[in-house]
């Protein structure tokens, strides 16, 4: 099954009219007390190349067959009463419906919203998407939450911040390098080295901070200062995130089973706040792998530690998926070398997005941070 969005054509209008009159759709879209009728929706679609050309209309298709209707628009153009926005081109909204009742509950709604979000990211300068479904429309509210929207109680609408943008590969300076390495069967590469953590280790002890969580913070902090480490690939397209967050391994508190958990914590600008958040998440998380924290996300960096071994080389398990561009960062058991404390360190990245020079710059920045904090 392949779901796609195609622009609405005149031949689709009769189908849209049929869907609008289906009871499960009509109950939410026709609101006589507010002066909103189905004819208004049809008139807007009919005038999509004229008066309502600022609205982008789509048909959701499953393997080429129409199953739903969706749209997005710049809130500045609509000037609706339920929001107040500062400027054009920053805030967008969406509407969506599954045409026939027998297609409800199959995951189509969630995927349709994901496709709409991708359209907005690719074609606009949006900083956020806001939606205000009826509070009683639990299905609509549910698919928004499943796509990362958060309900703002004060403003009484759902909002999703846009934290990434698509790169125009045709005009990207890495166009040729991306094309060359993306075609490789295994485009990942790994570099290992030692970091001098003498100063950083002393700092964590002085501040009574966990060295492990502090190191995760340091690693992620410098990732967020390194553009090439914030690129990701989706279906052959490149996106750039504003912010990257760590997902790291940690031994379960029940060490008798020798199993680890995968902990995911949002990055913050404060090392002490981050350490506190990591400690709290680790303590509260009972699952080895929390799907709510991981599924559908690539705004992450994967981190692991092997504190039993001072390694000189490391390789990671990885699926042969050319779109897997999440960097892997690891370190081992630190050791003393004369008057220094050294940490075996490993960086693995996707060569279509980052070259050796970018790894080198990352390590240089990280070492400087560890030396001067």
């Amino acid at each position: 099954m392949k779901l796609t969005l195609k622009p609405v054509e005149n031949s689709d209008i009769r189908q849209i009219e049929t869907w609008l009159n289906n009871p499960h759709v009509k109950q939410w879209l026709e609101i006589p007390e507010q002066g909103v009728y189905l004819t208004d929706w049809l008139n807007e679609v009919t005038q999509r190349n004229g008066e309502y050309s600022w609205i982008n209309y789509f048909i959701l298709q499953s393997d080429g067959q129409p199953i739903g209707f969706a749209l997005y628009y710049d809130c500045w153009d609509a000037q609706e009463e339920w929001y107040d926005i500062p400027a054009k081109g920053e805030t967008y909204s969406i509407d969506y419906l599954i045409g026939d009742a027998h297609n409800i509950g199959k995951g189509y709604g969630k995927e349709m919203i994901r496709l709409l979000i991708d359209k907005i990211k690719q074609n606009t300068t949006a900083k956020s998407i806001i939606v205000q479904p009826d509070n009683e429309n639990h299905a609509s509210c549910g698919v928004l939450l499943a796509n990362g929207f958060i309900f703002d109680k004060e403003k009484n609408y759902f909002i999703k911040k846009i934290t990434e943008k698509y790169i125009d590969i045709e005009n990207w300076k890495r166009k040729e390098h991306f094309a060359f390495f993306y075609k490789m069967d295994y485009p990942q590469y790994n570099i290992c080295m030692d970091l001098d953590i003498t100063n950083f280790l002393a700092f964590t002890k002085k501040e009574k901070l966990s060295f492990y969580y502090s190191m995760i913070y340091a690693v992620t902090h410098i990732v967020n200062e390194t553009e090439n480490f914030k690129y990701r690939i989706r279906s052959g397209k490149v996106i750039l995130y504003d912010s990257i967050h760590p997902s790291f391994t940690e031994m379960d508190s029940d060490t008798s089973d020798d199993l680890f958990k995968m902990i995911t914590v949002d990055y913050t600008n404060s090392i002490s706040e981050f350490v506190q958040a990591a400690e709290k998440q680790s303590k509260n998380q009972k699952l080895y792998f929390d799907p709510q924290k991981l599924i559908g996300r690539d705004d992450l960096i994967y981190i692991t530690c092997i504190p039993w071994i001072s390694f000189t080389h490391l390789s990671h398990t990885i699926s042969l998926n050319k779109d897997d561009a999440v960097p892997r960062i690891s370190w081992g058991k630190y050791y003393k070398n004369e008057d220094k404390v050294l940490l075996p360190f490993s960086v693995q990245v996707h060569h279509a997005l980052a070259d050796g020079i970018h790894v080198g710059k990352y390590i240089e920045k990280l070492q400087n941070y560890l030396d001067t904090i």
Side-chain angles (χ1 to χ4, degrees):
M1 176 192 71
K2 182 179 181 181
L3 296 181
T4 56
L5 291 175
K6 81 167 189 72
V8 166
E9 301 174 5
N10 288 335
S11 57
D12 299 313
I13 293 180
R14 179 169 294 182
Q15 176 68 80
I16 294 171
E17 182 177 9
T18 299
W19 286 340
L20 290 173
N21 281 282
N22 283 337
H24 75 280
V25 175
K26 186 176 181 179
Q27 65 174 320
W28 304 117
L29 297 189
E30 187 165 72
I31 315 172
E33 60 270 24
Q34 296 181 14
V36 179
Y37 297 90
L38 298 183
T39 51
D40 298 321
W41 287 82
L42 283 173
N43 179 59
E44 290 181 7
V45 179
T46 302
Q47 298 296 321
R48 68 192 181 280
N49 295 320
E51 183 180 356
Y52 295 97
S53 60
W54 47 273
I55 305 178
N56 301 270
Y57 296 95
F58 303 94
I59 294 294
L60 177 68
Q61 295 182 316
S62 174
D63 294 330
Q65 297 300 311
I67 62 170
F69 172 61
L71 61 90
Y72 74 81
Y73 57 91
D74 187 336
C75 292
W76 182 264
D77 294 322
Q79 293 294 320
E80 296 165 293
E81 294 181 357
W82 56 274
Y83 55 76
D84 182 24
I85 57 173
K88 182 177 176 61
E90 293 185 356
T91 308
Y92 282 70
S93 189
I94 60 176
D95 279 303
Y96 43 88
L97 63 88
I98 297 297
D100 296 311
H102 65 81
N103 281 323
I104 294 175
K106 296 182 178 180
Y108 296 149
K110 177 181 177 181
E111 181 65 9
M112 175 163 49
I113 291 176
R114 187 193 69 78
L115 291 171
L116 273 175
I117 294 170
D118 277 350
K119 289 283 186 184
I120 293 172
K121 290 176 182 177
Q122 292 177 44
N123 300 317
T124 78
T125 57
K127 295 181 179 179
S128 63
I129 303 171
I130 59 175
V131 193
Q132 191 183 55
D134 191 295
N135 291 334
E136 298 300 315
N137 191 344
H138 301 303
S140 182
C141 295
V143 293
L144 291 172
L145 292 171
N147 275 282
F149 283 80
I150 297 173
F151 184 68
D152 187 321
K153 292 182 180 180
E154 182 180 341
K155 296 180 179 178
N156 194 36
Y157 57 61
F158 289 86
I159 182 168
K160 181 180 178 66
K161 298 290 187 181
I162 303 299
T163 60
E164 73 267 30
K165 66 177 182 179
Y166 277 83
I167 299 299
D168 178 6
I169 296 179
E170 285 301 310
N171 295 301
W172 191 29
K173 67 180 182 180
R174 287 193 62 82
K175 174 184 175 181
E176 293 183 34
H177 293 72
F178 177 82
F180 181 81
F181 287 109
Y182 185 65
K183 67 185 179 183
M184 301 295 178
D185 292 329
Y186 187 78
Q188 303 267 348
Y189 71 96
N190 188 296
I191 296 178
C192 297
M193 76 295 294
D194 284 339
L195 291 175
D196 182 349
I197 60 166
T198 310
N199 177 71
F200 189 71
L201 182 60
F203 165 81
T204 59
K205 289 180 178 179
K206 177 183 176 183
E207 299 297 325
K208 296 182 173 56
L209 296 173
S210 159
F211 172 77
Y212 184 45
Y213 296 147
S214 298
M215 192 67 193
I216 291 169
Y217 173 85
V219 162
T220 309
H221 178 69
I222 303 304
V223 162
N224 279 294
E225 292 186 355
T226 309
E227 181 172 303
N228 290 75
F229 280 38
K230 297 194 291 182
Y231 289 124
R232 299 294 182 267
I233 304 174
R234 291 184 192 163
S235 302
K237 298 178 181 179
V238 178
I239 62 171
L240 174 63
Y241 275 105
D242 288 337
S243 184
I244 300 297
H245 309 278
S247 188
F248 54 91
T249 61
E250 184 169 32
M251 293 301 296
D252 188 48
S253 56
D254 181 9
T255 55
S256 62
D257 62 11
D258 289 339
L259 296 174
F260 66 87
K261 295 188 292 188
M262 182 70 77
I263 310 293
T264 303
V265 180
D266 287 341
Y267 168 73
T268 66
N269 287 321
S270 166
I271 187 170
S272 58
E273 290 178 6
F274 176 83
V275 169
Q276 290 176 8
E279 289 173 341
K280 182 178 179 181
Q281 179 63 32
S282 179
K283 179 180 178 180
N284 293 338
Q285 182 173 315
K286 305 305 179 185
L287 300 173
Y288 291 120
F289 303 94
D290 185 351
Q292 296 301 319
K293 292 279 188 176
L294 295 171
I295 291 178
R297 293 187 64 178
D298 59 0
D299 61 334
L300 302 172
I301 184 166
Y302 297 148
I303 297 172
T304 190
C305 174
I306 309 171
W308 311 277
I309 303 170
S310 297
F311 61 74
T312 56
H313 175 73
L314 181 73
S315 63
H316 291 273
T317 56
I318 193 168
S319 60
L320 292 179
N321 176 4
K322 296 179 182 180
D323 286 353
D324 182 358
V326 176
R328 275 82 165 160
I329 291 183
S330 311
W331 56 88
K333 179 181 180 179
Y334 58 73
Y335 64 96
K336 292 205 70 172
N337 183 358
E338 298 181 350
D339 60 343
K340 295 182 178 181
V341 181
L342 302 181
L343 182 73
F345 197 77
S346 165
V347 178
Q348 182 164 308
V349 292
H350 196 300
H351 214 329
L353 305 177
D355 305 322
I357 188 173
H358 304 114
V359 176
K361 289 180 178 180
Y362 172 77
I363 294 300
E364 183 179 2
K365 288 181 180 179
L366 178 57
Q367 185 63 71
N368 182 65
Y369 178 83
L370 299 176
D371 289 342
T372 58
I373 189 171

